[in-house]
Amino acid sequence: MRLLPRPIFRHLALLALPTAMALSGTSQADGESASAVFAGGCFWCMEEAYDKVEGVRATISGYSGGHTEDPTYNQVTAGGTGHAEVVKVDYDPDQVDYETLLHVFWRNIDPFAVDRQFCDQGASYRSAIFPMDAEQRALAEASRDAVAERFDQPIATEINDFEAFYPAEAYHQDYYLENPVRYRFYKSACGRVERLEEVWGEEAGASAAS
């Protein structure tokens, strides 16, 4: 059987999603996907980062962490919903583990920025990890402690229990692939690459555990 290219797979998966999703963080049987949810500022950029990770099956941009049901992009960015822009990562735990996804997460964010990431301002662009079970929470907290110890300064990234995931509008999905020129201009103008290199050095933008 010919495998679908990843962008097509993601679009098919998006069409099958309910408006809000209750997810399980752990795989129940061989061959099943596990899921993880991360907020790292612009979800376009986080999609790109995780699409490079071997073992990631799909990435979907969306919203999580707030109280408004089925929010729109305009509502989230205007504030008041409590949601952050997030990416839901579906992955094969036989190929990549949650600890590796955490490693990639940290090296694609500014962990010191409060209610913003790079040029994007506001609580909807805060960095956060949304663990789905006790194991993910323990690993997330351990990773945050390690980052805090490494830099010896407070870490702004939140760790909040996962409650619901709302897929973003279709035009946000695979934006970096569908609109490469606009995306590259945005990413460059936002100073994301430069700030990541300032914080993480050669590890900036990692797509695998070192």
Side-chain angles (χ1 to χ4, degrees):
M1 180 181 70
R2 187 175 67 87
L3 295 178
L4 290 173
R6 181 174 290 169
I8 296 176
F9 180 89
R10 281 202 302 275
H11 280 135
L12 292 177
L14 180 66
L15 292 174
L17 292 173
T19 301
M21 297 182 63
L23 306 169
S24 171
T26 56
S27 175
Q28 300 299 313
D30 289 344
E32 285 192 15
S33 289
S35 295
V37 174
F38 303 103
C42 173
F43 43 29
W44 303 338
C45 297
M46 296 304 285
E47 268 198 31
E48 181 191 22
Y50 279 109
D51 280 345
K52 297 175 182 176
V53 178
E54 185 175 357
V56 167
R57 293 177 167 177
T59 57
I60 302 170
S61 290
Y63 315 111
S64 194
H67 50 78
T68 301
E69 294 185 4
D70 196 21
T72 67
Y73 174 75
N74 288 338
Q75 288 175 320
V76 171
T77 55
T81 68
H83 288 294
E85 288 194 12
V86 302
V87 62
K88 183 174 82 73
V89 180
D90 295 335
Y91 64 99
D92 182 348
D94 291 330
Q95 292 186 278
V96 61
D97 57 23
Y98 187 68
E99 289 177 285
T100 297
L101 299 182
L102 288 167
H103 180 92
V104 172
F105 167 76
W106 289 111
R107 286 149 184 81
N108 282 276
I109 68 161
D110 178 349
F112 315 117
V114 178
D115 285 345
R116 66 177 179 84
Q117 282 291 296
F118 314 102
C119 66
D120 294 314
Q121 305 279 340
S124 63
Y125 294 107
R126 67 189 184 273
S127 64
I129 304 169
F130 295 93
M132 297 179 180
D133 54 34
E135 180 181 4
Q136 284 194 358
R137 172 168 276 278
L139 292 171
E141 290 177 347
S143 73
R144 184 175 62 180
D145 291 345
V147 172
E149 182 177 359
R150 170 173 174 164
F151 292 104
D152 193 25
Q153 60 178 293
I155 301 302
T157 303
E158 301 175 1
I159 298 179
N160 300 316
D161 288 338
F162 173 81
E163 293 184 1
F165 170 81
Y166 299 93
E169 294 84 345
Y171 69 89
H172 284 299
Q173 309 302 331
D174 300 325
Y175 188 90
Y176 79 98
L177 294 171
E178 301 291 341
N179 301 275
V181 175
R182 291 182 180 181
Y183 173 73
R184 287 195 296 269
F185 177 80
Y186 156 77
K187 187 175 179 180
S188 175
C190 205
R192 191 177 189 108
V193 173
E194 291 79 6
R195 178 56 179 161
L196 288 177
E197 290 178 349
E198 182 181 352
V199 174
W200 294 104
E202 293 183 356
E203 297 174 39
S207 59
S210 58

